[in-house]
Amino acid sequence: MLISPSILAILVFLGFALVVALAISHMLMRGMKERQSSYKNFSGNVNEFLLFVSKEGVLQDAFPKFINDPLYEQICQKRSFSEVLSAEEYSRLTEYMRGAEAYPDIPFVFCFKGETGTCWYELRAFLKKTFNGTFWELLIKNVTLDVDSRTQRDRLQDNVNMLLQNTGDFLWSFDVDTRQITLLTPITDEEGRVIPRSVGVQDIHSLLLDEEYAMFERRINARIMAFRASNFKDVDENSSVKLRVIGPDRKLVWYCFRFRVYLEENARILIKGSARRMDLLFDNPIYDDCVNLDAAIGTMLSFPDIRIFCVDRDYRIVSCNQAFALDFRYSSPEKTFGKRLLEVVRPKYYSFIQGTLSDVFESGRAKSWKGPFNKEHRLLWFNAIPLTKTEGFVYRAMGVYIQMDEAEFKDDKNIKELI
C-alpha cells in the first residue's frame, strides 16, 4: 500500500511539530524549576505561599517549592490542616471556609504552635472551578512580626496610660494656625479617675483662666519666633510654664507645661507637649488680703542701702522704694510706676534680674542669689519672692537687693566696731 506524498508530508510536519512542542515544554519546565530553585537563596525571607487544597481539605500542590516556614513544612508533610492545627483553630478555619466564598475580602487570622513557638498567619481563600473539578486556592502570609509589634505597641500604650493616670499628667498638642489645643490623653482627677470628654479638641478658655491663657499664648508665640529665627530648630526645648487648669468642679490644679515645636511636611508648625501635675505647697507666699498692700510694699522698708521693687507679670513696675528709684536716677518712686523694668534698669542688669524673676513667676517659689557683680570686688545679694493671690496665682514678684564693696570690710577698726 502506497502512502500519498501529501499525507507523508503532513505526518512528517506533525511529527516535527510534536518534537518542537516537547522541546519547548521541556525548556519551559526546566526554566520553571530553575526559577523555583532560586527561592532557596531567600527561603528564610519568604513569608507568603500558595496552597492548592481540594474541597475535602487535602493538599494537592504548593507554591513556591522552597520556603523556610514551620506551617508550610508541616502542611507539606501531613497534607491536611486537620493534622497540623489545634482542634480549636481547625474548627475556626472550617467555619471560615463555609462563608469564604460570600466574603472573599475578609481574611482569616489563626495561630500555629510549632517547635519554635507560636506563629500567626493571615489566610485568604478563593474557590477555583475547572473542568477537572473544584479546589481552593489559599494565600497564606506569616504575620507573626506584625502581631508581635502590635502587641508591644499595645503594651507600651497601656504602660503610658497607666503612668499618666497614676501621676495625673496628660499629653497635648497645639495647632498654631487655628489656635486649638487637643488633649491626646485624658485628664484624671485626684483619685486617678478619668474625667469624661477630656480627650480631643478642647476650648482652651474652659481649661485656663484668661490671664494664664494670655501668658501661655505669649510663651507659645515667643517659642515660634525663636523657632523661625533659628532656621526651624527648637532651641529652647527645656523651658516650661506653670499654669492652673480648671477641673470639672471648677477647682484649679497646677500643671507644669513643657512642649516642643515641630515642622510638619506641609510646612505647618505644630506644638506637642506634656503637662505634669504639681501637687506642691508654695513656700513663703504673700497673700493679697490687705487692701493697702500696694502702698505698703513701697513704704514697709526705707533702708538707704536696700533696693526694693515690685513688678507684675508684664514686668511693669508697680511699686518700689526710694533707694531703688535713686539708684537709676529717678527722683521719686512714683516716676517709675507703670514703666517696664527694661526702661528703668540698665540693660546689662536687666537680663540677670528678669531671668530670676521669670523663675519666680513659673515656680511660685522664692529665689536667692549672691556673688560678684558688675565690678571687681563688688558683691550683690539679690532675693526675689512671689506675691500670691488667695487662690494660689502668682501675679507679682518682689525683688530685694543690696550692693556691697569688699573694701568697706577691710578696715580692721570698722570690723571691730561691728563685732
Side-chain angles (χ1 to χ4, degrees), residues 116-377:
T116 58
T118 301
C119 298
W120 290 88
Y121 295 87
E122 181 184 272
L123 181 146
R124 294 179 182 272
F126 177 77
L127 188 62
K128 187 74 173 289
K129 298 179 181 179
T130 64
F131 65 91
N132 290 328
T134 304
F135 61 91
W136 287 101
E137 291 180 344
L138 305 179
L139 175 62
I140 301 178
K141 180 180 180 180
N142 191 326
V143 293
T144 303
L145 292 178
D146 295 337
V147 173
D148 289 344
S149 61
R150 189 181 303 113
T151 302
Q152 292 177 2
R153 288 197 302 270
D154 293 342
R155 187 181 297 114
L156 179 61
Q157 186 62 46
D158 291 340
N159 292 337
V160 171
N161 292 339
M162 181 178 65
L163 176 63
L164 293 175
Q165 291 180 15
N166 289 339
T167 58
D169 306 343
F170 62 89
L171 305 178
W172 57 277
S173 66
F174 187 79
D175 192 314
V176 175
D177 295 333
T178 62
R179 294 286 156 165
Q180 287 184 332
I181 189 170
T182 302
L183 301 189
L184 306 177
T185 57
I187 301 178
T188 57
D189 58 17
E190 295 180 353
E191 302 298 329
R193 296 180 298 240
V194 174
I195 298 176
R197 297 182 297 277
S198 61
V199 178
V201 178
Q202 303 287 331
D203 179 12
I204 196 167
H205 296 289
S206 67
L207 296 177
L208 302 175
L209 299 174
D210 291 340
E211 61 266 26
E212 302 208 4
Y213 171 68
M215 182 176 64
F216 175 74
E217 192 172 37
R218 286 197 301 270
R219 185 63 60 86
I220 289 286
N221 293 337
R223 285 284 290 274
I224 293 174
M225 292 177 61
F227 182 72
R228 288 171 173 164
S230 61
N231 195 20
F232 302 106
K233 293 182 181 179
D234 194 5
V235 296
D236 196 18
E237 60 186 38
N238 294 322
S239 67
S240 64
V241 56
K242 295 174 178 61
L243 305 170
R244 290 170 299 168
V245 173
I246 304 174
D249 55 354
R250 308 303 297 175
K251 182 179 180 181
L252 299 176
V253 182
W254 282 97
Y255 282 86
C256 177
F257 284 75
R258 292 184 180 274
F259 55 93
R260 296 286 304 275
V261 185
Y262 299 90
L263 185 65
E264 293 186 319
E265 294 180 356
N266 55 3
R268 292 183 60 189
I269 296 178
L270 182 66
I271 294 175
K272 292 183 179 180
S274 63
R276 168 61 56 87
R277 182 166 182 152
M278 301 174 60
D279 294 324
L280 54 85
L281 296 175
F282 296 131
D283 56 347
N284 299 329
I286 297 180
Y287 294 104
D288 189 11
D289 291 331
C290 179
V291 177
N292 298 321
L293 178 61
D294 291 339
I297 290 176
T299 59
M300 64 174 62
L301 292 176
S302 57
F303 302 115
D305 292 329
I306 298 178
R307 283 75 170 174
I308 302 173
F309 66 95
C310 181
V311 296
D312 60 16
R313 297 190 77 97
D314 292 324
Y315 298 99
R316 292 186 181 275
I317 298 175
V318 296
S319 60
C320 68
N321 67 346
Q322 185 71 27
F324 176 84
L326 294 175
D327 211 17
F328 297 102
R329 299 180 181 179
Y330 285 89
S331 59
S332 66
E334 289 75 12
K335 292 186 178 181
T336 66
F337 295 171
K339 294 182 179 292
R340 291 188 178 275
L341 190 62
L342 181 59
E343 301 176 30
V344 176
V345 178
R346 298 180 183 91
K348 61 181 178 179
Y349 302 149
Y350 175 76
S351 59
F352 163 75
I353 296 176
Q354 189 270 343
T356 304
L357 295 176
S358 176
D359 291 341
V360 172
F361 277 124
E362 291 184 5
S363 65
R365 294 178 177 272
K367 187 171 182 180
S368 176
W369 185 91
K370 53 187 174 182
F373 191 77
N374 191 20
K375 298 179 181 179
E376 188 177 2
H377 305 301

Side-chain angles (χ1 to χ4, degrees), residues 381-397:
W381 285 16
F382 183 79
N383 288 271
I385 57 176
L387 303 183
T388 309
K389 290 187 177 180
T390 52
E391 64 270 20
F393 176 63
V394 180
Y395 77 116
R396 291 176 181 175

Side-chain angles (χ1 to χ4, degrees), residues 7-52:
I7 296 176
L8 182 61
I10 292 173
L11 293 175
V12 171
F13 176 76
L14 292 175
F16 176 76
L18 180 60
V19 171
V20 171
L22 291 174
I24 293 175
S25 300
H26 176 72
M27 293 175 63
L28 291 175
M29 293 295 295
R30 183 177 177 181
M32 185 178 295
K33 288 182 179 180
E34 289 179 353
R35 292 186 181 94
Q36 283 286 319
S37 63
S38 298
Y39 279 94
K40 289 182 179 180
N41 302 323
F42 309 100
S43 60
N45 302 102
V46 179
N47 65 342
E48 292 183 352
F49 52 92
L50 278 170
L51 299 181
F52 303 92

